[in-house]
Amino acid sequence: MGGADWNGLLPWLAVVAAIAAAGAWLARAYALRRGLMDLPGERRSHSVPTPRGGGIGITLAWILSCGLFGVSGRIPIALALATAGASFLVAAAGYVDDHRPLSPWWRLAAHVGAGIVLAAGVLAVHGAPWLALAAIAAVPVLVNVWNFMDGIDGIAASQAALAALGLAGLAMLSPHAGGGLPPALAPALVLAAACIGFLPFNFPRARIFLGDVGSGTLGVALAVVVLLLLQGAGPGQAAGMLVLAVLPLSAFLIDAALTLGGRMVRREQWWTPHVSHAYQRLAGRVGSHVPVTLAYAGWTILVAIVAGAASAGGFAARLAVCAGILAAGTLAWRAARGAGAREQKDRPRG
């Protein structure tokens, strides 16, 4: 790993953070002027009207970075263009929804379309067909997970930053083809820098929310980082790397999967706003968003360290570690929600 690689990357990370911060500041002024506000309600976790759409700075920084990655050769140009195109599709759907309600099915169509665009980029650089199929699945899954889990101050951006850093650590610890930085490292660090630039506007007290434009970008960016991590893995290492890549994402994956799965079983409209996620129950119980966001951050830091330690083991050891973490997370989810507590049905909007 040459010093020149870092010399070119580190200044750009500062620029990315500045773009994200400036975007949040400008978006807040725009939202206040246009009346783009998330209002408190029975299916919301905040208590004061708050502007939305602050994640557009993250979106701009990420898409610009995708172009620079392609031009500089950090990732193949075809994959860079596909990444930028997929990110734009998701962000555009989110931007429209931040201004006026967009049908969830149109949003899902944009997310699936973005996955297909990303898959085409994977195939264009001679990626394995299974990796292209993973792209089609990963984009809508992670986009919607980050959208559903973006419900209290700081949690979505902090989790994206920590997950990206965890994935960056895995990239550094794993053998990869070629010299220089691992292919997933620069995108992961850019994503973390963008989130760090935005977070002062969203935590510990939110002055603006990410909005769908921001949460969607975080989801598609994390999908791209995971795919690059798998693509850059050494021969025969992709399956084991996929097992480890789940761990930095596990806080959100566990909460979203179990909560939404329960809503589906109860035949509720799982895609509508609600306050039944574990993090929402916890925030309501303690009366503050801050300790909950920090607790989720602590979990992600811990499991990212575990993932790094497990990277030295074989596939069976990695699988056992992942299974243990997911089991522990499931128990934590039940405890956070109050195991055995009676479920309350969401009331219709007034």
Side-chain angles (χ1 to χ4, degrees):
M1 184 182 307
D5 292 318
W6 285 108
N7 291 338
L9 179 59
L10 291 176
W12 180 244
L13 296 180
V15 172
V16 164
I19 293 173
W25 183 77
L26 292 171
R28 186 174 189 276
Y30 172 80
L32 290 172
R33 187 169 63 250
R34 292 287 301 270
L36 300 177
M37 309 288 285
D38 274 348
L39 303 177
E42 294 176 348
R43 292 195 267 183
R44 306 282 184 182
S45 296
H46 60 286
S47 57
V48 296
T50 306
R52 63 176 178 265
I56 193 167
I58 294 176
T59 301
L60 293 174
W62 171 253
I63 291 178
L64 183 57
S65 296
C66 291
L68 291 178
F69 291 153
V71 171
S72 65
R74 291 189 184 276
I75 60 177
I77 187 67
L79 186 56
L81 290 174
T83 297
S87 302
F88 178 81
L89 271 177
V90 171
Y95 183 83
V96 171
D97 193 57
D98 286 336
H99 284 72
R100 58 179 178 83
L102 185 65
S103 163
W105 307 115
W106 280 112
R107 295 201 306 270
L108 182 60
H111 303 162
V112 173
I116 292 172
V117 169
L118 185 58
V122 170
L123 292 176
V125 297
H126 309 294
W130 74 266
L131 201 59
L133 292 175
I136 295 173
V139 170
V141 167
L142 289 178
V143 166
N144 282 284
V145 164
W146 247 258
N147 178 267
F148 286 130
M149 296 294 291
D150 179 25
I152 63 173
D153 298 350
I155 195 168
S158 64
Q159 282 296 302
L162 292 170
L165 291 174
L167 294 170
L170 288 175
M172 292 286 289
L173 291 170
S174 304
H176 61 281
L181 300 178
L185 182 62
L189 294 179
V190 160
L191 177 57
C195 292
I196 290 169
F198 168 78
L199 268 170
F201 295 86
N202 191 240
F203 188 79
R205 183 182 64 84
R207 290 183 284 155
I208 189 167
F209 292 150
L210 278 167
D212 284 0
V213 66
S215 62
T217 298
L218 297 182
V220 71
L222 285 167
V224 169
V225 172
V226 171
L227 289 170
L228 288 172
L229 187 65
L230 300 181
Q231 192 171 42
Q237 295 297 312
M241 185 57 67
L242 177 59
V243 170
L244 293 182
V246 169
L247 298 184
L249 306 169
S250 62
F252 270 20
L253 292 179
I254 292 169
D255 197 341
L258 294 177
T259 301
L260 298 178
R263 285 172 62 81
M264 291 176 189
V265 169
R266 296 189 298 275
R267 298 184 179 180
E268 298 173 4
Q269 292 183 326
W270 54 270
W271 59 89
T272 59
H274 59 92
V275 288
S276 54
H277 284 289
Y279 76 90
Q280 292 169 318
R281 294 282 184 87
L282 276 174
R285 187 178 306 165
V286 302
S288 172
H289 295 184
V290 173
V292 180
T293 296
L294 293 178
Y296 272 65
W299 169 275
T300 300
I301 292 169
L302 176 62
V303 299
I305 293 171
V306 171
S311 66
F315 178 76
R318 295 180 181 189
L319 192 61
V321 168
C322 183
I325 292 293
L326 295 180
T330 299
L331 293 176
W333 176 85
R334 287 180 58 84
R337 282 173 48 100
R342 178 181 168 182
E343 294 285 352
Q344 295 181 353
K345 286 189 175 182
D346 294 329
R347 298 179 185 177
R349 289 184 180 180

